[in-house]
Amino acid sequence: MSVHLLGIRHHGPGSSRHVLNALSEIQPDVVLIEGPPEGEAMLSWATHADMQPPVALLGYVPDNPQQAVFYPFTLHSPEWNAILYALRNQVPVRFIDMPLAHGFAIEWQETASNIDTSEFTEQVRKNPISYLAEIAEFDDPEEWWEHRFEIVQQPYEVFEAIAESMTALRQALPERNDRRGGDRRGSDRRGSDRREEIREAFMRKSIRIAQKEGFERIAVVCGAWHVPALMHLPKQKEDDLLLKNLPKTKVESTWIPWTNDRMAFESGYGAGVESPGWYMHHWQHPDDHGTLWLSHTAHVFRANHVDISSAHIIEAVRLAGALAGLRGLSRPGLKELNEATVAVMCMGEPLLMKVIYRELIVGKAFGQIPEGTPQVPLQRNLEALAKRFRIKIIPEQKTLKLDLREENDLQKSILLHRLQLLDINWGTMEAVSGKGTFKEEWTLRWYPELTINLLEKAPWGNTVDEAAAKYLENKAKKCARLDEITPLVQTAIPADLPTALGAVMRKMDELAATTSDISMLMDAFTPLAQVSRYGNVRRTDRESIDLIMTTIFYRIIAGLPAGCTGIDDEQAAEMTQKIREVNQAIQMLEKQELTEAWTTTLRTIFHSDRTAPFIQGYSCKALYDSRLLEMDSTFNAFAKALSPNNEPSASANWLEGFLNDAATVLILDDVIWDVVNDWLQSLDDATFLQVVPLLRRTFANFSNVEKRKIAGRARQGKSGTSSPQTIDIDPQRAAQVLPILELLMGIK
Amino acid sequence: MAQNILRQAAEAQFAQEIEEIKKQDKHTRPENWLLSPHAVVTYLMGGKLGNGFDVSPKYIGNRRLMEIAVATLTTDRALLLYGLPGTAKSWVSEHISAAISGDSGLVIQGTAGTGEDSVRYGWNYAQLLSAGPVPEAIVETPVMRGMKEGKIVRVEELTRIGSDVQDSLITILSEKMLPIPELNTKVMAVRGFNMIATANNRDKGVNDLSSALKRRFNTVILPVPETIEEEVEIVQQRVASFSKSIDLPVEKPILEEINRIVTVFRELRNGVSTDGKTKLKSPSGTLSTAEAISVMNSGLSLAYHFGDASLKADDLASGLIGAIIKDPVQDKIVFQEYMETVLKQRDGWKDIYRACREII
């Protein structure tokens, strides 16, 4: 009976080769792999024809999917190759790490502060092989691994050597701990230390079980770091003590597609790789001395409009070779190849390497998992929908332009809106140029993490439709204020969830009835008005919206005049802004009943002496704009508001409300101009001096161009006296120019 | 060679080092190379040899850059050293050719007036008139000699040479051959021939390389020193060798002064004070390490000849201001701002502030 410990570097192609060689030599009758036992059930999928790494084994707590952990595998991962070997040779394969059920349940304390957290410890823990490589003055751990161990003929000797070096490293660690942490070990140990101990105890336990079951040749594939802990099995009692009474939680697992740029993600093993694309190349073409890699590099450059000739490739290969020779390497590594690329192809400018880094060194590969892999129903539904709409769920950025008048596009839009509602931000809506509400532009990009959000929403329903509706209803139910529910309406309508929208509306009505805050009501009104006016593109149920909109509107009308009294300047300005929005919405709705009611209210506000002056000024202007106030009355109101007997600040506010954002009106509208102009001229010197500060305050808000234009107009005096129409024109002479003008303007 | 030579060529000044390295060199040498590539890098970067002999570092900075440079010369591409003025391009080029060929003297100084006859070959017109086009009438250029002897040829400021003249290098670099149509013959390059060109990327109005010529060069960009420690080390080393070569006794340890000069240069170059708290304007000059070295050197001379032989702030101030203020209007404002916001506030820097104040 023999136990063979194969210490590896996660995702290392060199490790993979050694593991495969060792396995075919050992001919094990059981393969044990560092991985979560919960994932064992999923292993059979690995050999499925449609399984395309990189993929990740995802373990999560169904009640709280944010508690999740990924174990990524790619083609050159030693674990992946060990799994494939075992499945193809019909050898039982087991995962022997600590079950996630415990991993999630135990709260690991990371509080101790006086323990050595130096870079040394951190680096050795995370990536012991890279540490050793650094001692040997290698930049690339894989390169070191290859150089150090390739020459050894017996693959198994490689692992013995690795075990020895790890043992040495591990022995070096506690010494450092002791020196800094003093003698207070044990209770003070970091959570991650305890976690490691428990993990290794679990691994030992699994090895013991395999031995008891009578397996003859046991192969264990685990991170090199753990090898020393598994070499000598301590008494079973010690481990059992460590594993006693561990808390537990429910865990589920599944496969999800993974991407190369997330291979660096530290999850599961706590070790990632920075250049998965390069390792993949290394794995697929172990004999490449740079020719193939640099040809790929040249292709990427050419695709990005950098001219690279074959001569460049030849020179780069030579330089990389010369560099490797100079550094005493048997062949160029990634560093040498990159340096050769910079010197030969990029004129020494490393900036261009960014594109190589993105496309080659990291690589754009993304995985695929076979259909029928166990998934939560919501996930399956989303995939079916995506398939139906021919949108691929891939981690690449893509732009989607939708014309909502097309049934198919409308459905796509609805799906994306529903997902947004569920906080699964696969698509982000972009601002669309051009007119019309029937166009939408989305930028799609799937992130593996979105799967977690999806799992999190799984309890809400088995289809996207159902989950979104229930989630929305629940959210609406929890709303306690009108301004919380208003944004929900805006998200619910494009998601086309009639039943849920009904619930949201009912809740909205309820909240509107109890709210006395006019400004909140006004906030709720504007989006509803917009939907009511333009909602027909989406064929939303308008009647119920109209009903609620109307009730909210009357509530506003009832409270508004009172709401405009007894407020300070700041609130008045805010209120005016909202009144303006409602005013616009009313004009847009073009409903006579509402318009009449609204103007009556405006008049009430205008005529009330208790209305805040700012609002009064605005309402005067609004009424004048709608031609509901004669010029005389406007003039009178103006003069009255600005008469010297008034409180100066009140006059200033009134004027600001009246002329707020209205410089253009002042420049172009003769009537308003005359009103202001006449009023100014009617003032005697003493009064004028008094109101000058007020005027300055209002005019200060205008832009320089506007001010200059106003000044220019003021120089001309009263409108009409010197306007262009009164210039003497000789019609006969003017007529002579007309044919040429017509010719110029292409009228004929 | 006579002792009173102002500045020895690299191969003469470091003859002993090259000799020692050669003795210890166990790696294979490319044909006509004095040292193996490995040993050349050792010569450049410095270090201890197997027999305990100390090799002084010639280039202080990233070893990988030197490795790329030397490796390039083993391939059939030429080397282009690119970078700001004062980043040791010519210095590196001189030492590489000294270590490889034992001769750093095959130099063409590129200027706007460099003609084809100084790149390829010229004619001895007296000979030409009396004897006609005969081989004896040809005046060899450094390029031609380098080709015949298999040595490294240096071209300084390649981009200052006119484009038409630059392009006459293409055949030489790609076919390693220099045709002489007048004699219906050609010079074929011997192994060991290659070229190191330098060019700076700061100046305007230079002649950019044609893409055909660019392809004949591998480019290494020499950066400004990354850390202040690195820069201080460079200045210190060069100042020490300067005072040795012109017999200036340095009494007081000058490291502190070097530190201050380098700090001033770095702060102005980076546009921010060392503590990261004060934003600064950058003057129009490059403020390279080479300029810091010359400020120190002129300060030392002043102190020795006109002062009491110990370096004081007054001795440095004039050099400092001369290096920084290249544009009498803009740069002056920049430096005055710097004096008031940084120099004046800094503890123990009052002397240098006052010295600068007096001159400006």
Side-chain angles (χ1 to χ4, degrees), chain A residues 424-499:
Chain A
I424 300 164
N425 296 318
W426 180 20
T428 33
M429 230 199 335
E430 307 291 334
V432 196
S433 57
K435 283 179 186 167
T437 44
F438 53 82
K439 266 192 200 152
E440 273 182 4
E441 196 175 308
W442 293 81
T443 306
L444 297 187
R445 186 174 175 152
W446 187 265
Y447 298 93
E449 285 87 342
L450 288 180
T451 310
I452 294 186
N453 289 2
L454 191 66
L455 291 171
E456 195 177 37
K457 299 295 166 355
W460 291 107
N462 289 343
T463 61
V464 175
D465 178 3
E466 192 189 336
K470 286 210 180 132
Y471 186 62
L472 180 63
E473 271 177 48
N474 180 59
K475 238 179 162 179
K477 225 179 272 173
K478 281 190 193 153
C479 287
R481 285 154 54 107
L482 191 59
D483 56 347
E484 283 171 12
I485 205 165
T486 309
L488 286 190
V489 180
Q490 278 159 306
T491 51
I493 287 160
D496 188 32
L497 299 164
T499 47

Side-chain angles (χ1 to χ4, degrees), chain A residues 498-526:
Chain A
T499 47
L501 187 61
V504 174
M505 285 296 167
R506 273 193 301 282
K507 183 75 185 179
M508 195 167 184
D509 199 22
E510 225 171 85
L511 290 173
T514 51
T515 202
S516 54
D517 189 333
I518 292 290
S519 73
M520 248 188 228
L521 282 169
M522 286 198 282
D523 276 343
F525 175 76
T526 333

Side-chain angles (χ1 to χ4, degrees), chain B residues 107-146:
Chain B
V107 193
I108 298 173
Q109 172 62 53
T111 67
T114 305
E116 224 173 293
D117 51 357
S118 40
V119 172
R120 300 169 74 218
Y121 51 85
W123 292 101
N124 177 339
Y125 287 96
Q127 277 269 24
L128 188 64
L129 287 175
S130 66
V134 290
E136 292 73 38
I138 282 189
V139 178
E140 290 187 346
T141 60
V143 176
M144 202 174 203
R145 245 178 298 137

Side-chain angles (χ1 to χ4, degrees), chain B residues 32-73:
Chain B
N32 269 329
W33 278 40
L34 213 57
L35 303 173
S36 72
H38 200 270
V40 175
V41 176
T42 313
Y43 171 76
L44 292 170
M45 300 303 299
K48 245 189 171 57
L49 294 181
N51 61 358
F53 184 81
D54 252 329
V55 179
S56 63
K58 315 297 176 303
Y59 179 76
I60 296 167
N62 190 348
R63 182 185 193 92
R64 292 191 160 265
L65 288 179
M66 289 304 109
E67 288 176 346
I68 298 170
V70 174
T72 291
L73 293 170

Side-chain angles (χ1 to χ4, degrees), chain A residues 705-734:
Chain A
V705 183
E706 287 168 341
K707 277 190 241 175
R708 209 174 310 130
K709 280 196 178 153
I710 292 170
R713 217 183 147 169
R715 211 173 297 132
Q716 292 170 6
K718 200 173 161 69
S719 76
T721 50
S722 61
S723 62
Q725 287 88 338
T726 58
I727 295 171
D728 264 351
I729 291 176
D730 182 345
Q732 272 179 340
R733 287 183 63 116

Side-chain angles (χ1 to χ4, degrees), chain A residues 223-404:
Chain A
W225 180 246
H226 301 298
V227 171
L230 309 184
M231 272 197 310
H232 309 288
L233 301 182
K235 284 198 185 110
Q236 197 175 339
K237 253 192 216 160
E238 286 175 29
D239 280 348
D240 286 348
L241 199 68
L242 208 55
L243 303 183
K244 216 167 70 181
N245 296 331
L246 290 179
K248 243 180 142 171
T249 180
K250 195 171 173 266
V251 171
E252 276 175 26
S253 59
T254 182
W255 288 107
I256 63 165
W258 204 243
T259 62
N260 255 10
D261 57 352
R262 276 173 206 250
M263 288 303 292
F265 201 79
E266 283 179 14
S267 184
Y269 327 105
V273 284
E274 274 164 24
S275 43
W278 162 249
Y279 284 158
M280 184 70 99
H281 178 83
H282 202 356
W283 170 246
Q284 283 167 336
H285 310 281
D287 298 326
D288 181 32
H289 280 235
T291 315
L292 200 56
W293 176 260
L294 288 166
S295 305
H296 286 314
T297 306
H299 277 275
V300 172
F301 273 141
R302 280 177 207 154
N304 286 281
H305 312 292
V306 182
D307 292 331
I308 298 295
S309 63
S310 312
H312 279 108
I313 307 177
I314 297 170
E315 288 304 332
V317 173
R318 281 191 192 157
L319 179 57
L323 274 173
L326 188 59
R327 291 174 187 162
L329 307 175
S330 62
R331 67 164 177 209
L334 184 58
K335 285 255 166 136
E336 283 74 34
L337 292 169
N338 282 346
E339 283 162 1
T341 310
V342 172
V344 178
M345 300 185 186
C346 312
M347 271 293 280
E349 185 49 70
L351 201 67
L352 281 170
M353 285 305 285
K354 276 197 175 160
V355 53
I356 298 298
Y357 182 77
R358 196 177 60 232
E359 300 207 2
L360 272 185
I361 299 175
V362 169
K364 283 179 153 182
F366 50 85
Q368 214 182 328
I369 54 166
E371 258 176 71
T373 319
Q375 284 175 319
V376 289
L378 181 61
Q379 209 176 353
R380 214 175 297 137
N381 176 250
L382 174 62
E383 267 168 33
L385 287 173
K387 206 167 180 186
R388 180 167 7 125
F389 295 135
R390 300 211 178 83
I391 337 177
K392 278 191 183 148
I393 303 185
I394 49 173
E396 248 178 68
Q397 196 158 310
K398 236 190 118 186
T399 313
L400 194 64
K401 280 190 184 150
L402 300 177
D403 181 344
L404 301 186

